[in-house]
Amino acid sequence: MIRRVLVTGTVTLATLLGPAAGIALAAPRAVSAANGGTASAPQLSAASVRPGLAFTVTPPEGCPASGEEQGVFITFTDSEDTTHQLAILTTDEHGTWGPATVRLPVVGLDDSGSWDAAEVAEGKGSLDVLCVSSDYVMAGARPGFSSMNQNQNQGQGQAVIDPPPHALENDPENDPDDDSGDDDSGDSVTLTYASAALTVTGDAAQVSVTPGIARPGGRVTVAPVDICGAGSSTARLQVIPVTAGDDSGDDDGDDDGDDPGDDSDGSGDSDDSGDGDDGDEDETDVSGLGAEADPDSVVTTEVKISGSAWPATQLTVPDDAEPGDYAVTVDCLDSLQDITSRYQAVPFAVGTVVAAAPVCGTAGASVRVTGTYPETLVTADGDELSLPATLKFVGAGPWTFFLDSALTDGLLLKQQVTCPVPDYELTVPKASVSSSGAVQARICNTGEADARALLQVRTKKGKWITVDRKLLDDGDCAWLDGGTVKKGGSARGRVLIDPPGKGSTDLAVEKTFTVRRKG
């Protein structure tokens, strides 16, 4: 899964790229300890932290002075050995950097706008920092870095540190610009800091979003379940479109990365030429909205925080919002508009998903589902479907079904299906013993639906046995007979309904009688 890259260095640090840009990283080669490439562990402002809560990383020393800017990569490897990219920074020409403010990632959107449901595992982990030569840090087309276990396969379009920084070895194949095969030339890692222990405690802060789907022009309420981090003054709420994963990474990478890739000296062209002009036309101005505000958001609002709490807030979906999947994100900001904590994002959808009244039959029911939601849905059983669609249910019910977004797993529709129970009723206008000694009864269906009538006779041991049955349309009458009564004897009989689709007798409709045979 791809993680959103957090570039939160301050003071003397310049971010390597803008918030909407990406990084393409050629796997760097490690510098051995014999070459003086190690340093003691950075100092962390907290020994334990929950995902989404900001903390600082302060280095004991800067990167080696090289006369040029270097890259600083900060990663966290959790208790399940998954490595998460936390920040990418640049030093000044003297190698100076820090302190840097970072956060453990939360469920939400990655830099490409795709839904990322991976979570940081709770428990003890390690934070790693390394300095990388600027030659190995290039503006790339694929945004974000992956959170990945070494045993997992890489997905399409990911820009990853693979293997993780602490596992790098001297390998000339890792240097795309080194054709000499000389291990000592162009080493990418200029300094490796010792790992710093960090414990993940608890889950990310939560918000509630109701309803989970709304039509354009509709309203949605966002309310906090947990409070913001210390020092927060406002909460920024955004509703951001979710994009489907892109399997054409190579093509997109070539298209998006041409300008910055050609100008490896710096960011001059990407800031001053065509890219900037296009951004003025197509991107929303997020100035004044705080750190890491998403320009693609269709709704952005800020609410005041009082005592770390903020009130439930109602948002209006724009009338021109495109139907599809969205994410509701909430960031807590301090007075300088920097993020103090981030809530776990919540899936949301724009459009409609509507279930019609069920069509009931003797074997079950079917429900037609329609709406304007354009993406793939998934049932609780894992079956995928697109609207319009028909759901079928077997048995007597009631049934409850769930429809989730296949992209975000957000619940879009939960509904119970019930079929009306007909009013079954039978009357027995006459009961007697036939000339052959059989118990017989005249039965009429006086209810509102077809029903199967059962004639039962009680044995000497007190057990009821069925001796005849017949399906009667509503309003029909028929004779049922069976069993044997000796001359001069009597028998106890009853009539029941065997409702269609249930497969068992209905004792609520019961008519009993006694017949005698002359001697």
Side-chain angles (χ1 to χ4, degrees):
M1 303 291 289
I2 302 175
R3 284 292 187 191
R4 178 178 293 279
V5 178
L6 308 182
V7 186
T8 53
T10 56
V11 191
T12 62
L13 297 179
T15 57
L16 186 62
L17 295 173
I23 298 296
L25 176 65
R29 292 186 295 164
V31 174
S32 65
N35 292 332
T38 61
S40 57
Q43 181 180 354
L44 308 183
S45 62
S48 62
V49 68
R50 74 188 301 180
L53 188 64
F55 62 98
T56 59
V57 179
T58 304
E61 60 184 88
C63 299
S66 62
E68 62 180 4
E69 293 179 347
Q70 298 174 62
V72 178
F73 292 86
I74 305 177
T75 63
F76 176 74
T77 302
D78 64 24
S79 60
E80 296 182 357
D81 203 28
T82 299
T83 299
H84 307 264
Q85 184 75 38
L86 302 188
I88 307 170
L89 313 171
T90 55
T91 71
D92 60 18
E93 66 273 16
H94 304 296
T96 303
W97 69 276
T101 302
V102 297
R103 302 183 305 276
L104 298 182
V106 299
V107 171
L109 300 180
D110 61 28
D111 276 0
S112 68
S114 299
W115 185 258
D116 184 358
E119 299 183 55
V120 180
E122 191 170 359
K124 295 181 178 179
S126 62
L127 184 139
D128 294 285
V129 182
L130 54 80
C131 302
V132 180
S133 168
S134 61
D135 292 340
Y136 287 82
V137 182
M138 303 163 289
R142 304 307 303 172
F145 280 78
S146 69
S147 298
M148 59 175 296
N149 187 291
Q150 297 179 50
N151 298 321
Q152 295 174 338
N153 293 326
Q154 297 182 31
Q156 294 289 332
Q158 293 184 345
V160 301
I161 293 182
D162 181 26
H166 57 75
L168 294 173
E169 298 178 355
N170 286 324
D171 183 356
E173 293 182 359
N174 285 337
D175 186 351
D177 300 322
D178 183 6
D179 298 328
S180 65
D182 184 358
D183 290 348
D184 294 331
S185 63
D187 286 329
S188 57
V189 178
T190 62
L191 183 67
T192 301
Y193 294 87
S195 298
L198 180 65
T199 300
V200 181
T201 56
D203 299 321
Q206 307 285 318
V207 296
S208 67
V209 175
T210 52
I213 183 171
R215 65 181 71 240
R219 295 182 176 181
V220 57
T221 299
V222 182
V225 177
D226 301 296
I227 62 175
C228 284
S232 303
S233 59
T234 58
R236 181 184 62 210
L237 287 62
Q238 292 195 292
V239 180
I240 306 168
V242 178
T243 60
D246 187 359
D247 294 332
S248 57
D250 291 339
D251 294 339
D252 288 348
D254 292 340
D255 293 341
D256 295 341
D258 284 345
D259 290 342
D262 292 342
D263 299 302
S264 57
D265 293 342
S267 58
D269 285 349
S270 61
D271 289 339
D272 301 329
S273 62
D275 289 345
D277 293 339
D278 292 342
D280 291 340
E281 295 178 3
D282 301 330
E283 292 189 0
T284 303
D285 181 10
V286 294
S287 59
L289 298 181
E292 300 178 49
D294 197 313
D296 294 326
S297 175
V298 298
V299 178
T300 299
T301 189
E302 286 191 4
V303 294
K304 293 293 184 180
I305 293 177
S306 176
S308 298
W310 48 279
T313 304
Q314 194 172 73
L315 306 178
T316 300
V317 180
D319 292 334
D320 59 352
E322 291 291 333
D325 288 296
Y326 289 74
V328 176
T329 66
V330 180
D331 292 322
C332 303
L333 308 174
D334 61 19
S335 58
L336 298 178
Q337 293 285 279
D338 289 326
I339 297 177
T340 59
S341 61
R342 169 166 288 177
Y343 286 85
Q344 179 172 304
V346 178
F348 177 68
V350 173
T352 57
V353 180
V354 180
V359 177
C360 300
T362 57
S366 63
V367 175
R368 186 67 170 171
V369 182
T370 59
T372 61
Y373 177 74
E375 307 299 338
T376 303
L377 296 166
V378 62
T379 67
D381 295 328
D383 298 324
E384 293 187 349
L385 55 91
S386 298
L387 299 181
T390 299
L391 304 178
K392 295 184 178 181
F393 307 92
V394 177
W399 310 269
T400 299
F401 69 90
F402 303 83
L403 292 179
D404 299 336
S405 162
L407 193 60
T408 66
D409 290 332
L411 177 63
L412 303 186
L413 181 64
K414 174 185 177 181
Q415 189 157 319
Q416 186 179 69
V417 178
T418 58
C419 289
V421 179
D423 180 16
Y424 294 111
E425 185 62 40
L426 294 176
T427 59
V428 184
K430 187 175 182 181
S432 62
V433 178
S434 67
S435 59
S436 61
V439 177
Q440 62 180 10
R442 177 73 172 175
I443 302 172
C444 294
N445 182 357
T446 55
E448 299 176 347
D450 299 348
R452 188 180 302 277
L454 304 181
L455 175 61
Q456 295 184 337
V457 175
R458 189 174 183 178
T459 66
K460 291 183 180 180
K461 295 182 178 181
K463 182 179 180 180
W464 292 96
I465 60 172
T466 300
V467 295
D468 198 6
R469 69 186 68 203
K470 183 170 292 186
L471 180 64
L472 300 176
D473 294 337
D474 56 308
D476 286 354
C477 296
W479 282 96
L480 274 70
D481 59 70
T484 302
V485 180
K486 294 181 180 180
K487 290 182 178 180
S490 63
R492 186 74 171 165
R494 72 178 182 184
V495 175
L496 303 175
I497 284 180
D498 188 6
K502 289 188 177 182
S504 62
T505 56
D506 185 354
L507 298 178
V509 179
E510 177 182 353
K511 306 295 182 183
T512 59
F513 57 88
T514 300
V515 292
R516 296 182 181 276
R517 185 179 181 185
K518 295 179 180 181

